[in-house]
Amino acid sequence: MTVLPNTCPAAQGAGVTPRLAVVIPARNRRGSLPRTLASVLSDPRPDIELVVVDDGSEDDTEAYLASLADPRLAWRRLPVPSGANRARNEGAALTSAPLIAFLDSDDAFCPGRIERLIAFFDANPDVACTIDGFKDVADRRQRLHRLPDPTPDAERLRRLLLCHCVPLTNSTVTVRRSAFASIGGYDDGLYRHQDREFLVRLGRQHRIAFGKAVDVLKYREANSMSRSHAGYIAGLSDFVARCEDYQTQDYATILSYLTLRGVLKALAQGSFGVALAEIMAWRRASNLPGGFGVVTGYFAGRRQRRQLEQSLAQAATTSAE
């Protein structure tokens, strides 16, 4: 195990050329990191790079990482919290493998995933990125998210991503290093909808393919961002500001639906304080629809989104955000 300075590549055994790098951003994840790291390091392949970027944790994450001794594992610590996207970009820069797989610090890879990914990209040189299905694990229950087959064409995929019709988690994203570098990686100023924005931007230049496998476990912990609705509205407004498609009339009703849904989800969970904060954020948001028309737009947008899902060969479910 290696502690990485700012510019040092991850160490590997002598004569081993890395085939795939796994990048994990972590903040205050001492409890879940052993499970996450074990899901990668249990693979015996020597040509794996695993880099953990500790995003200014205040728990024992740093001490735990320092206690490990696998030569395939390296880590570095950011002195102050800078967000998961910056941590992902920093981690990717510290690796050298031609393939980069991302994994959140409370999720896990299933056995065989790394082998399958390497074989897939070897067999499909025209594919720059894959998104796979996953198992959503929350409160001891599992929900299966499979992706549609076949992958929609680029224009339709972009629309599905914008309308939140594709189940997503960063832990199912694997990308060629060259494609990742060509778009500058993740947007480190965006704190919600990170995977969606990254894929929308990547899809403008590169081919994205849906995987048929379901070999990622997505754990919904009590402190997971995916279980918190706080900040959803502000994040959606930031996403809209970065995406010119959303400025067109084609997405007016979808945006009404997504905006109001963010508030309704908080209310449905009994998080009235969060719902009120989201309403206030909505009033301040300059990139989201407002006024009473949002209510009628919500129902129209929900119908539009359902029609998009039903048009797929296999209807997609949508992950919580």
mmCIF file with all atom_site columns, all heavy atoms in Angstrom, residues 154 158 198-208:
data_model
loop_
_atom_site.group_PDB
_atom_site.id
_atom_site.type_symbol
_atom_site.label_atom_id
_atom_site.label_alt_id
_atom_site.label_comp_id
_atom_site.label_asym_id
_atom_site.label_entity_id
_atom_site.label_seq_id
_atom_site.pdbx_PDB_ins_code
_atom_site.Cartn_x
_atom_site.Cartn_y
_atom_site.Cartn_z
_atom_site.occupancy
_atom_site.B_iso_or_equiv
_atom_site.pdbx_formal_charge
_atom_site.auth_seq_id
_atom_site.auth_comp_id
_atom_site.auth_asym_id
_atom_site.auth_atom_id
_atom_site.pdbx_PDB_model_num
ATOM 1   N N   . ALA A 1 154 ? -27.389 7.540  -29.691 1.00 0.00 ? 154 ALA A N   1
ATOM 2   C CA  . ALA A 1 154 ? -26.796 8.609  -28.892 1.00 0.00 ? 154 ALA A CA  1
ATOM 3   C C   . ALA A 1 154 ? -27.788 9.719  -28.564 1.00 0.00 ? 154 ALA A C   1
ATOM 4   O O   . ALA A 1 154 ? -27.841 10.201 -27.425 1.00 0.00 ? 154 ALA A O   1
ATOM 5   C CB  . ALA A 1 154 ? -25.584 9.189  -29.622 1.00 0.00 ? 154 ALA A CB  1
ATOM 6   N N   . ARG A 1 158 ? -29.203 10.493 -24.724 1.00 0.00 ? 158 ARG A N   1
ATOM 7   C CA  . ARG A 1 158 ? -29.056 11.806 -24.100 1.00 0.00 ? 158 ARG A CA  1
ATOM 8   C C   . ARG A 1 158 ? -30.391 12.270 -23.517 1.00 0.00 ? 158 ARG A C   1
ATOM 9   O O   . ARG A 1 158 ? -30.458 12.773 -22.397 1.00 0.00 ? 158 ARG A O   1
ATOM 10  C CB  . ARG A 1 158 ? -28.549 12.802 -25.145 1.00 0.00 ? 158 ARG A CB  1
ATOM 11  C CG  . ARG A 1 158 ? -28.310 14.215 -24.623 1.00 0.00 ? 158 ARG A CG  1
ATOM 12  C CD  . ARG A 1 158 ? -27.776 15.090 -25.757 1.00 0.00 ? 158 ARG A CD  1
ATOM 13  N NE  . ARG A 1 158 ? -27.593 16.456 -25.333 1.00 0.00 ? 158 ARG A NE  1
ATOM 14  C CZ  . ARG A 1 158 ? -26.519 16.893 -24.680 1.00 0.00 ? 158 ARG A CZ  1
ATOM 15  N NH1 . ARG A 1 158 ? -25.554 16.052 -24.374 1.00 0.00 ? 158 ARG A NH1 1
ATOM 16  N NH2 . ARG A 1 158 ? -26.409 18.160 -24.329 1.00 0.00 ? 158 ARG A NH2 1
ATOM 17  N N   . PHE A 1 198 ? -21.953 14.048 -16.171 1.00 0.00 ? 198 PHE A N   1
ATOM 18  C CA  . PHE A 1 198 ? -20.745 13.489 -16.779 1.00 0.00 ? 198 PHE A CA  1
ATOM 19  C C   . PHE A 1 198 ? -21.088 12.694 -18.032 1.00 0.00 ? 198 PHE A C   1
ATOM 20  O O   . PHE A 1 198 ? -20.442 12.839 -19.080 1.00 0.00 ? 198 PHE A O   1
ATOM 21  C CB  . PHE A 1 198 ? -20.037 12.595 -15.752 1.00 0.00 ? 198 PHE A CB  1
ATOM 22  C CG  . PHE A 1 198 ? -18.884 11.820 -16.310 1.00 0.00 ? 198 PHE A CG  1
ATOM 23  C CD1 . PHE A 1 198 ? -17.663 12.427 -16.550 1.00 0.00 ? 198 PHE A CD1 1
ATOM 24  C CD2 . PHE A 1 198 ? -19.013 10.464 -16.600 1.00 0.00 ? 198 PHE A CD2 1
ATOM 25  C CE1 . PHE A 1 198 ? -16.588 11.704 -17.065 1.00 0.00 ? 198 PHE A CE1 1
ATOM 26  C CE2 . PHE A 1 198 ? -17.953 9.731  -17.114 1.00 0.00 ? 198 PHE A CE2 1
ATOM 27  C CZ  . PHE A 1 198 ? -16.739 10.360 -17.349 1.00 0.00 ? 198 PHE A CZ  1
ATOM 28  N N   . LEU A 1 199 ? -22.118 11.850 -17.958 1.00 0.00 ? 199 LEU A N   1
ATOM 29  C CA  . LEU A 1 199 ? -22.484 11.004 -19.091 1.00 0.00 ? 199 LEU A CA  1
ATOM 30  C C   . LEU A 1 199 ? -23.083 11.809 -20.231 1.00 0.00 ? 199 LEU A C   1
ATOM 31  O O   . LEU A 1 199 ? -22.836 11.512 -21.402 1.00 0.00 ? 199 LEU A O   1
ATOM 32  C CB  . LEU A 1 199 ? -23.447 9.923  -18.628 1.00 0.00 ? 199 LEU A CB  1
ATOM 33  C CG  . LEU A 1 199 ? -22.845 8.881  -17.681 1.00 0.00 ? 199 LEU A CG  1
ATOM 34  C CD1 . LEU A 1 199 ? -23.937 8.029  -17.050 1.00 0.00 ? 199 LEU A CD1 1
ATOM 35  C CD2 . LEU A 1 199 ? -21.834 8.005  -18.411 1.00 0.00 ? 199 LEU A CD2 1
ATOM 36  N N   . VAL A 1 200 ? -23.877 12.820 -19.914 1.00 0.00 ? 200 VAL A N   1
ATOM 37  C CA  . VAL A 1 200 ? -24.429 13.678 -20.963 1.00 0.00 ? 200 VAL A CA  1
ATOM 38  C C   . VAL A 1 200 ? -23.301 14.355 -21.733 1.00 0.00 ? 200 VAL A C   1
ATOM 39  O O   . VAL A 1 200 ? -23.298 14.401 -22.970 1.00 0.00 ? 200 VAL A O   1
ATOM 40  C CB  . VAL A 1 200 ? -25.379 14.731 -20.355 1.00 0.00 ? 200 VAL A CB  1
ATOM 41  C CG1 . VAL A 1 200 ? -25.709 15.825 -21.373 1.00 0.00 ? 200 VAL A CG1 1
ATOM 42  C CG2 . VAL A 1 200 ? -26.677 14.067 -19.879 1.00 0.00 ? 200 VAL A CG2 1
ATOM 43  N N   . ARG A 1 201 ? -22.318 14.855 -21.011 1.00 0.00 ? 201 ARG A N   1
ATOM 44  C CA  . ARG A 1 201 ? -21.183 15.528 -21.648 1.00 0.00 ? 201 ARG A CA  1
ATOM 45  C C   . ARG A 1 201 ? -20.323 14.536 -22.423 1.00 0.00 ? 201 ARG A C   1
ATOM 46  O O   . ARG A 1 201 ? -19.877 14.812 -23.542 1.00 0.00 ? 201 ARG A O   1
ATOM 47  C CB  . ARG A 1 201 ? -20.379 16.245 -20.562 1.00 0.00 ? 201 ARG A CB  1
ATOM 48  C CG  . ARG A 1 201 ? -19.287 17.157 -21.031 1.00 0.00 ? 201 ARG A CG  1
ATOM 49  C CD  . ARG A 1 201 ? -18.921 18.203 -19.982 1.00 0.00 ? 201 ARG A CD  1
ATOM 50  N NE  . ARG A 1 201 ? -19.015 17.729 -18.633 1.00 0.00 ? 201 ARG A NE  1
ATOM 51  C CZ  . ARG A 1 201 ? -18.010 17.165 -17.946 1.00 0.00 ? 201 ARG A CZ  1
ATOM 52  N NH1 . ARG A 1 201 ? -16.821 17.013 -18.522 1.00 0.00 ? 201 ARG A NH1 1
ATOM 53  N NH2 . ARG A 1 201 ? -18.172 16.774 -16.702 1.00 0.00 ? 201 ARG A NH2 1
ATOM 54  N N   . LEU A 1 202 ? -20.081 13.377 -21.848 1.00 0.00 ? 202 LEU A N   1
ATOM 55  C CA  . LEU A 1 202 ? -19.261 12.357 -22.511 1.00 0.00 ? 202 LEU A CA  1
ATOM 56  C C   . LEU A 1 202 ? -19.929 11.877 -23.794 1.00 0.00 ? 202 LEU A C   1
ATOM 57  O O   . LEU A 1 202 ? -19.257 11.649 -24.816 1.00 0.00 ? 202 LEU A O   1
ATOM 58  C CB  . LEU A 1 202 ? -19.042 11.183 -21.563 1.00 0.00 ? 202 LEU A CB  1
ATOM 59  C CG  . LEU A 1 202 ? -18.107 10.077 -22.047 1.00 0.00 ? 202 LEU A CG  1
ATOM 60  C CD1 . LEU A 1 202 ? -16.656 10.553 -21.951 1.00 0.00 ? 202 LEU A CD1 1
ATOM 61  C CD2 . LEU A 1 202 ? -18.303 8.806  -21.236 1.00 0.00 ? 202 LEU A CD2 1
ATOM 62  N N   . GLY A 1 203 ? -21.262 11.725 -23.749 1.00 0.00 ? 203 GLY A N   1
ATOM 63  C CA  . GLY A 1 203 ? -21.991 11.197 -24.893 1.00 0.00 ? 203 GLY A CA  1
ATOM 64  C C   . GLY A 1 203 ? -21.988 12.088 -26.109 1.00 0.00 ? 203 GLY A C   1
ATOM 65  O O   . GLY A 1 203 ? -22.321 11.634 -27.214 1.00 0.00 ? 203 GLY A O   1
ATOM 66  N N   . ARG A 1 204 ? -21.608 13.338 -25.956 1.00 0.00 ? 204 ARG A N   1
ATOM 67  C CA  . ARG A 1 204 ? -21.518 14.235 -27.120 1.00 0.00 ? 204 ARG A CA  1
ATOM 68  C C   . ARG A 1 204 ? -20.377 13.829 -28.043 1.00 0.00 ? 204 ARG A C   1
ATOM 69  O O   . ARG A 1 204 ? -20.414 14.095 -29.240 1.00 0.00 ? 204 ARG A O   1
ATOM 70  C CB  . ARG A 1 204 ? -21.299 15.680 -26.657 1.00 0.00 ? 204 ARG A CB  1
ATOM 71  C CG  . ARG A 1 204 ? -22.453 16.304 -25.889 1.00 0.00 ? 204 ARG A CG  1
ATOM 72  C CD  . ARG A 1 204 ? -22.243 17.806 -25.775 1.00 0.00 ? 204 ARG A CD  1
ATOM 73  N NE  . ARG A 1 204 ? -23.270 18.434 -24.954 1.00 0.00 ? 204 ARG A NE  1
ATOM 74  C CZ  . ARG A 1 204 ? -23.060 18.942 -23.756 1.00 0.00 ? 204 ARG A CZ  1
ATOM 75  N NH1 . ARG A 1 204 ? -21.843 18.880 -23.214 1.00 0.00 ? 204 ARG A NH1 1
ATOM 76  N NH2 . ARG A 1 204 ? -24.034 19.506 -23.076 1.00 0.00 ? 204 ARG A NH2 1
ATOM 77  N N   . GLN A 1 205 ? -19.349 13.194 -27.488 1.00 0.00 ? 205 GLN A N   1
ATOM 78  C CA  . GLN A 1 205 ? -18.154 12.886 -28.268 1.00 0.00 ? 205 GLN A CA  1
ATOM 79  C C   . GLN A 1 205 ? -17.850 11.394 -28.383 1.00 0.00 ? 205 GLN A C   1
ATOM 80  O O   . GLN A 1 205 ? -17.108 10.990 -29.278 1.00 0.00 ? 205 GLN A O   1
ATOM 81  C CB  . GLN A 1 205 ? -16.934 13.560 -27.622 1.00 0.00 ? 205 GLN A CB  1
ATOM 82  C CG  . GLN A 1 205 ? -17.032 15.062 -27.467 1.00 0.00 ? 205 GLN A CG  1
ATOM 83  C CD  . GLN A 1 205 ? -15.808 15.631 -26.752 1.00 0.00 ? 205 GLN A CD  1
ATOM 84  O OE1 . GLN A 1 205 ? -14.710 15.094 -26.855 1.00 0.00 ? 205 GLN A OE1 1
ATOM 85  N NE2 . GLN A 1 205 ? -16.005 16.701 -26.013 1.00 0.00 ? 205 GLN A NE2 1
ATOM 86  N N   . HIS A 1 206 ? -18.412 10.593 -27.486 1.00 0.00 ? 206 HIS A N   1
ATOM 87  C CA  . HIS A 1 206 ? -17.992 9.199  -27.393 1.00 0.00 ? 206 HIS A CA  1
ATOM 88  C C   . HIS A 1 206 ? -19.199 8.270  -27.285 1.00 0.00 ? 206 HIS A C   1
ATOM 89  O O   . HIS A 1 206 ? -20.280 8.676  -26.872 1.00 0.00 ? 206 HIS A O   1
ATOM 90  C CB  . HIS A 1 206 ? -17.081 8.999  -26.184 1.00 0.00 ? 206 HIS A CB  1
ATOM 91  C CG  . HIS A 1 206 ? -15.878 9.871  -26.175 1.00 0.00 ? 206 HIS A CG  1
ATOM 92  N ND1 . HIS A 1 206 ? -14.759 9.599  -26.944 1.00 0.00 ? 206 HIS A ND1 1
ATOM 93  C CD2 . HIS A 1 206 ? -15.604 11.028 -25.517 1.00 0.00 ? 206 HIS A CD2 1
ATOM 94  C CE1 . HIS A 1 206 ? -13.851 10.543 -26.743 1.00 0.00 ? 206 HIS A CE1 1
ATOM 95  N NE2 . HIS A 1 206 ? -14.336 11.418 -25.876 1.00 0.00 ? 206 HIS A NE2 1
ATOM 96  N N   . ARG A 1 207 ? -18.960 7.013  -27.624 1.00 0.00 ? 207 ARG A N   1
ATOM 97  C CA  . ARG A 1 207 ? -20.017 6.020  -27.561 1.00 0.00 ? 207 ARG A CA  1
ATOM 98  C C   . ARG A 1 207 ? -20.137 5.437  -26.154 1.00 0.00 ? 207 ARG A C   1
ATOM 99  O O   . ARG A 1 207 ? -19.155 4.994  -25.566 1.00 0.00 ? 207 ARG A O   1
ATOM 100 C CB  . ARG A 1 207 ? -19.760 4.888  -28.554 1.00 0.00 ? 207 ARG A CB  1
ATOM 101 C CG  . ARG A 1 207 ? -20.906 3.867  -28.575 1.00 0.00 ? 207 ARG A CG  1
ATOM 102 C CD  . ARG A 1 207 ? -20.625 2.694  -29.476 1.00 0.00 ? 207 ARG A CD  1
ATOM 103 N NE  . ARG A 1 207 ? -21.624 1.652  -29.277 1.00 0.00 ? 207 ARG A NE  1
ATOM 104 C CZ  . ARG A 1 207 ? -21.495 0.401  -29.681 1.00 0.00 ? 207 ARG A CZ  1
ATOM 105 N NH1 . ARG A 1 207 ? -20.408 0.041  -30.342 1.00 0.00 ? 207 ARG A NH1 1
ATOM 106 N NH2 . ARG A 1 207 ? -22.438 -0.486 -29.439 1.00 0.00 ? 207 ARG A NH2 1
ATOM 107 N N   . ILE A 1 208 ? -21.355 5.452  -25.634 1.00 0.00 ? 208 ILE A N   1
ATOM 108 C CA  . ILE A 1 208 ? -21.676 4.866  -24.335 1.00 0.00 ? 208 ILE A CA  1
ATOM 109 C C   . ILE A 1 208 ? -22.536 3.635  -24.580 1.00 0.00 ? 208 ILE A C   1
ATOM 110 O O   . ILE A 1 208 ? -23.456 3.667  -25.395 1.00 0.00 ? 208 ILE A O   1
ATOM 111 C CB  . ILE A 1 208 ? -22.425 5.872  -23.447 1.00 0.00 ? 208 ILE A CB  1
ATOM 112 C CG1 . ILE A 1 208 ? -21.564 7.118  -23.190 1.00 0.00 ? 208 ILE A CG1 1
ATOM 113 C CG2 . ILE A 1 208 ? -22.849 5.227  -22.130 1.00 0.00 ? 208 ILE A CG2 1
ATOM 114 C CD1 . ILE A 1 208 ? -22.294 8.236  -22.471 1.00 0.00 ? 208 ILE A CD1 1
#
